[in-house]
């Protein structure tokens, strides 16, 4: 490996940059990223030393990532991949820990030369109350400000704060910070949410204002006023506290109604079998989905009235169809029946309502009915990650409500940060938003989380294909095929990239392979449609697309927002299919 003298510079105008670099490297955001630390240190110090023009892909590959002198950036994309991750980390740092930093270190797209600039105005991202709370279940209740003319309501303000604390203390999942200090926005040592407010008076009348503030961004999320009289001060304090608790309760999900069905089975063997089924379901492989189905069926042998097992069975049947393992028509009735049974056995189960919502969206294309069920599930248990995940992907995305989808999928990932499929689907939402760079960064993160997760490589290939980087797209799909060799979806995606890149012979070979598969098992019509469209045969492509609509193929539900459909949008046949889905 080639050697290079370390960058040096005198303690001059570069010192503030070095100080900022040290601050970034010591942050929690970069705590686990040793390679990214080396990458950032190298390019910053080289720039300070005046060697920014030498910051090329080859140099970085050799000096930072230990590549041999024979390193070829055209065949090894490590520098580009890590540069995307570094940009994402810097964005995260400056949105969170570095919100107050005056000096910004940026790495513009298209090169490796860092840029240093002074902060002008902070960018505050507004989140929903649910998203704020699922990230950290802490809240600070600040003293209410006394804005009366004579400042004589201090006793009332203290009592009001104590009443709010008492009201919130009934939520088991909520931690209330015992501090009278005002937290600084963006300080991770403080609360996810802050309660604050003020009291004004006019004669014997009081006006009490209460607010909820996102601790990360400092943005107001909710505000309400209560009017009262001094003679009714205790009741006024109770009303304010109740209003705050009532606003937070749906987001916390601690108060499950009494009298509902059995959420957990008393049969330990049944519960253990159910947990194993959920584990295999989350692998999203053909083998995993079939094993999940087997475990849920065994669970019901142990306890036929276990609602969660019926919910799991509905989800397994649905995913077997969505991933093209079996034909949708084979499992529609089974999935719907299992979901309905789960709700009947336990009407207070978030899992049961999520399963029913998923059936309504992906099988029935009943978007409004699905949304009601998803919202019911989230109200029952805001920390059930699958409810937020599927609400985003199978309801909000099809309806084109991508900002809301991003909010929900981000909340799901906050709840379950080690879920490979939720992490992958965050990349899918960014892809639908046409934010391809962020989608790539999220795919990189997902692959880092689970290097053997084939759906992440499939999505990586789809994004690279949309960017017209067909070599990297084909490489990603080939990796997906290697990890999941029997899955038609992986082969179909590779065939489409071959067709788009002019490799017609290889694309036709994939078509023949899919035709052979179709004689033995179900292959989604969309796999044939994608390749035919890429080959330029629109008539044959639309024939397959219509068949996919008849089959209610899962990938069709994103027809409104998926960039891959863009070349077809002006065709009247495409408009007809969109109307069938009810997403016009």
């Amino acid at each position: 490996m080639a050697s290079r003298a370390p960058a040096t510079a005198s303690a001059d105008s570069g010192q503030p940059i070095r100080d900022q670099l040290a601050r970034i490297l010591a942050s929690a955001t970069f705590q686990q990223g040793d390679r990214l630390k080396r990458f950032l240190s190298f390019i910053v110090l080289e720039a300070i030393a005046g060697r920014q023009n030498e910051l090329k892909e080859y140099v970085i590959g050799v000096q930072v990532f230990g590549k041999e002198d024979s390193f070829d950036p055209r065949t090894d994309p490590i520098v580009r991949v890590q540069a995307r991750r570094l940009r994402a980390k810097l964005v995260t740092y400056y949105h969170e820990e570095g919100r107050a930093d005056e000096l910004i270190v940026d790495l513009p797209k298209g090169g490796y030369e860092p840029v240093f600039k002074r902060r002008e105005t902070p960018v505050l991202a507004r989140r929903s109350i649910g998203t704020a709370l699922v990230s950290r279940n802490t809240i600070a209740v600040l003293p209410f400000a006394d804005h009366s003319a004579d400042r004589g309501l201090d006793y009332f303000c203290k009592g009001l704060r104590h009443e709010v604390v008492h009201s919130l203390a009934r939520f088991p999942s909520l931690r209330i910070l015992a501090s009278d200090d005002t937290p600084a926005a963006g300080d991770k040592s403080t609360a996810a949410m802050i309660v604050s407010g003020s009291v004004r008076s006019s004669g014997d009348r009081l006006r009490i204002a209460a607010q909820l503030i996102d601790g990360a961004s400092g943005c107001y999320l909710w505000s309400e006023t209560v009017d009262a009289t001094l003679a009714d001060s205790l009741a006024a304090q109770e009303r304010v506290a109740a209003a705050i608790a009532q606003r937070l309760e749906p987001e916390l999900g601690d108060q499950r109604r009494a009298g509902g069905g059995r959420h957990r089975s008393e049969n330990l063997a049944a519960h253990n079998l159910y947990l194993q089924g959920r584990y295999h379901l989350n692998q999203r492989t053909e083998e995993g989905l079939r094993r999940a189905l087997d475990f849920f069926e065994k669970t019901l042998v142990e306890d036929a009235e276990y609602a969660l097992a019926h919910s799991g069975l509905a989800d397994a049947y649905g995913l077997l169809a969505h991933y093209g393992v079996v034909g949708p028509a084979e499992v529609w009735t089974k999935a719907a029946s299992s979901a309905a049974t789960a709700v009947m056995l336990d009407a207070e189960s978030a899992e049961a309502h999520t399963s029913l919502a998923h059936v309504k969206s992906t099988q029935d294309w009943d978007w409004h009915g699905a949304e009601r069920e998803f919202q019911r599930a989230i109200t029952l248990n805001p920390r059930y990650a699958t409810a937020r995940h599927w609400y985003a992907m199978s309801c909000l995305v099809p309806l084109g409500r991508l900002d809301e989808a991003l909010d929900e999928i981000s909340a799901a990932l906050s709840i379950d940060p080690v879920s490979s499929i939720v992490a992958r689907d965050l990349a899918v939402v960014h892809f639908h938003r046409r934010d391809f760079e962020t989608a790539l960064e999220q795919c990189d993160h997902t692959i880092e989380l689970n290097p053997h997760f084939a759906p992440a490589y499939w999505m990586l290939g789809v994004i690279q294909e949309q960017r017209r980087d067909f070599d990297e797209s084909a490489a990603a799909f080939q990796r997906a095929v290697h990890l999941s060799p029997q899955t038609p979806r992986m082969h179909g995606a590779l065939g489409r990239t071959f067709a788009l890149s002019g490799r017609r012979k290889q694309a036709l070979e994939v078509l023949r392979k899919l035709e052979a598969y179709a004689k033995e098992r179900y292959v989604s019509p969309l796999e044939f449609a994608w390749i035919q469209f890429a080959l330029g045969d629109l008539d044959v492509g639309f024939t397959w697309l219509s068949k996919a609509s008849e089959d209610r193929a899962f990938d069709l539900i994103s027809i409104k927002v998926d960039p891959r459909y863009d070349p077809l949008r002006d065709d009247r046949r495409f408009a007809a299919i969109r109307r069938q889905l009810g997403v016009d």
Side-chain angles (χ1 to χ4, degrees):
M1 185 181 76
S3 61
R4 184 182 182 87
T8 60
S10 59
D12 51 11
S13 59
Q15 190 58 45
I17 298 175
R18 282 189 286 271
D19 292 343
Q20 180 64 26
L21 173 63
R23 190 176 297 113
I24 295 172
L25 297 179
S27 69
T29 303
F30 279 80
Q31 186 175 7
Q32 302 298 326
D34 289 340
R35 290 202 296 181
L36 293 184
K37 287 181 181 179
R38 293 199 307 270
F39 193 171
L40 181 61
S41 295
F42 180 77
I43 62 175
V44 168
L45 294 178
E46 289 291 288
I48 292 174
R51 294 198 287 265
Q52 58 268 33
N53 292 335
E54 299 179 30
L55 289 171
K56 306 299 182 184
E57 201 166 340
Y58 174 82
V59 172
I60 295 170
V62 171
Q63 296 296 324
V64 177
F65 300 111
K67 296 295 181 178
E68 298 296 330
D69 291 347
S70 58
F71 168 62
D72 186 352
R74 294 173 299 177
T75 59
D76 187 342
I78 185 171
V79 178
R80 299 193 297 278
V81 169
Q82 295 301 320
R84 289 197 298 269
R85 293 189 59 226
L86 179 56
R87 292 185 187 103
K89 287 285 188 181
L90 287 171
V91 169
T92 299
Y93 171 78
Y94 281 108
H95 276 201
E96 296 179 358
E97 296 165 88
R99 295 185 70 83
D101 292 2
E102 293 184 2
L103 183 62
I104 294 178
V105 178
D106 190 18
L107 181 59
K109 296 175 183 178
Y112 305 103
E113 180 181 341
V115 172
F116 314 109
K117 54 189 176 183
R118 294 286 176 183
R119 182 189 295 276
E120 295 178 0
T121 56
V123 177
L124 301 179
R126 174 162 185 163
R127 306 183 293 173
S128 70
I129 289 177
T131 304
L133 280 177
V134 296
S135 60
R136 298 192 311 283
N137 61 334
T138 54
I139 193 165
V141 182
L142 303 186
F144 281 66
D146 179 3
H147 289 166
S148 62
D150 59 359
R151 299 294 191 269
L153 294 176
D154 182 61
Y155 73 95
F156 180 86
C157 292
K158 288 182 178 178
L160 176 57
R161 179 173 185 252
H162 293 157
E163 190 68 39
V164 172
V165 170
H166 175 72
S167 182
L168 296 180
R170 68 187 174 93
F171 296 113
S173 65
L174 190 62
R175 293 188 297 119
I176 305 171
L177 300 184
S179 172
D180 290 338
D181 297 329
T182 301
D187 183 351
K188 284 187 174 292
S189 66
T190 61
M193 192 167 294
I194 301 163
V195 177
S196 69
S198 63
V199 180
R200 292 174 287 164
S201 65
S202 176
D204 67 343
R205 296 196 59 78
L206 303 176
R207 171 157 291 182
I208 307 151
Q211 296 95 25
L212 292 175
I213 301 170
D214 182 356
S217 68
C219 294
Y220 286 97
L221 300 175
W222 172 86
S223 180
E224 189 162 317
T225 60
V226 171
D227 293 327
T229 63
L230 279 172
D232 197 25
S233 59
L234 289 178
Q237 291 171 349
E238 291 174 355
R239 285 164 58 197
V240 173
I244 295 171
Q246 184 178 10
R247 183 62 188 87
L248 291 176
E249 182 172 355
E251 309 294 345
L252 293 167
D254 289 318
Q255 307 299 313
R256 294 185 63 84
R257 292 189 179 96
R262 293 181 303 150
H263 188 58
R264 292 173 64 97
S265 174
E266 296 177 2
N267 184 324
L268 183 60
H271 186 61
N272 287 339
L273 287 167
Y274 166 76
L275 292 178
Q276 291 180 74
R278 282 290 174 190
Y279 168 79
H280 288 292
L281 196 73
N282 288 333
Q283 304 310 304
R284 295 302 199 272
T285 63
E286 181 170 335
E287 179 186 6
L289 294 174
R290 292 189 184 278
R291 294 191 68 183
L293 188 68
D294 183 54
F295 273 108
F296 292 135
E297 289 173 340
K298 289 179 179 177
T299 304
L300 291 174
V301 171
E302 291 284 343
D303 184 351
E305 296 187 356
Y306 188 18
L308 290 183
H310 287 282
S311 168
L313 201 61
D315 296 347
Y317 281 131
L319 291 178
L320 281 166
H322 300 164
Y323 281 80
V325 179
V326 299
E330 295 180 46
V331 294
W332 274 350
T333 303
K334 295 176 182 177
S337 174
S338 296
T341 300
V343 173
M344 180 186 68
L345 290 171
D346 188 353
E348 304 300 312
S349 167
E351 292 86 345
H353 284 280
T354 298
S355 299
L356 184 58
H358 206 221
V359 168
K360 285 180 176 294
S361 62
T362 61
Q363 293 186 14
D364 301 338
W365 295 343
D366 177 7
W367 310 112
H368 298 299
E371 182 160 28
R372 285 195 300 271
E373 292 296 331
F374 277 126
Q375 290 176 343
R376 173 66 173 152
I378 292 169
T379 297
L380 287 167
N381 184 4
R383 296 179 184 276
Y384 181 42
T386 301
R388 293 184 180 274
H389 174 202
W390 285 357
Y391 180 34
M393 304 309 298
S394 62
C395 187
L396 295 174
V397 163
L399 294 174
R401 292 156 57 184
L402 296 180
D403 289 345
E404 295 172 73
L406 181 60
D407 198 26
E408 290 297 335
I409 195 72
S410 298
L413 194 58
S414 295
I415 297 167
D416 189 359
V418 297
S419 170
S420 299
I421 188 59
V422 176
R424 195 290 303 266
D425 280 353
L426 177 56
V428 176
V429 173
H430 286 303
F431 174 72
H432 291 325
R433 290 164 59 91
R434 271 63 173 179
D435 187 353
F436 301 135
E437 288 298 324
T438 303
L440 283 174
E441 291 160 3
Q442 183 58 33
C443 272
D444 292 339
H445 169 75
T446 306
I447 291 168
E448 185 177 30
L449 182 70
N450 184 353
H452 305 290
F453 191 57
Y457 291 97
W458 176 85
M459 191 63 222
L460 179 63
V462 169
I463 299 165
Q464 296 286 31
E465 177 186 277
Q466 195 66 28
R467 297 173 73 247
R468 315 295 292 180
D469 194 340
F470 296 119
D471 289 341
E472 289 202 20
S473 177
F477 288 137
Q478 285 165 343
R479 177 62 173 161
V481 168
H482 173 75
L483 291 170
S484 189
Q486 301 304 315
T487 304
R489 189 184 206 193
M490 307 307 177
H491 293 280
L494 181 59
R496 172 178 162 86
T497 279
F498 284 153
L500 289 173
S501 59
R503 298 159 72 177
R504 184 178 180 87
K505 180 180 178 181
Q506 290 95 324
L508 293 174
E509 289 174 355
V510 173
L511 267 179
R512 287 193 290 271
K513 182 179 293 186
L514 291 176
E515 290 165 355
Y517 277 148
K519 295 176 181 177
E520 303 172 358
R521 55 169 296 166
Y522 178 77
V523 177
S524 170
L526 271 175
E527 308 309 334
F528 296 102
W530 286 129
I531 297 176
Q532 293 292 354
F533 284 133
L535 288 170
D537 197 333
L538 294 183
D539 291 338
V540 176
F542 271 109
T543 298
W544 282 113
L545 198 62
S546 296
K547 181 65 168 62
S549 179
E550 294 172 9
D551 284 5
R552 305 214 163 195
F554 177 71
D555 280 355
L556 204 60
I557 68 172
S558 63
I559 194 171
K560 184 173 184 176
V561 294
D562 192 327
R564 292 177 295 171
Y565 290 108
D566 286 353
L568 310 175
R569 297 193 186 279
D570 293 335
D571 194 297
R572 57 179 177 77
R573 293 169 290 186
F574 184 81
I577 292 173
R578 275 188 57 171
R579 285 194 295 273
Q580 291 173 12
L581 271 82
V583 294
D584 278 343

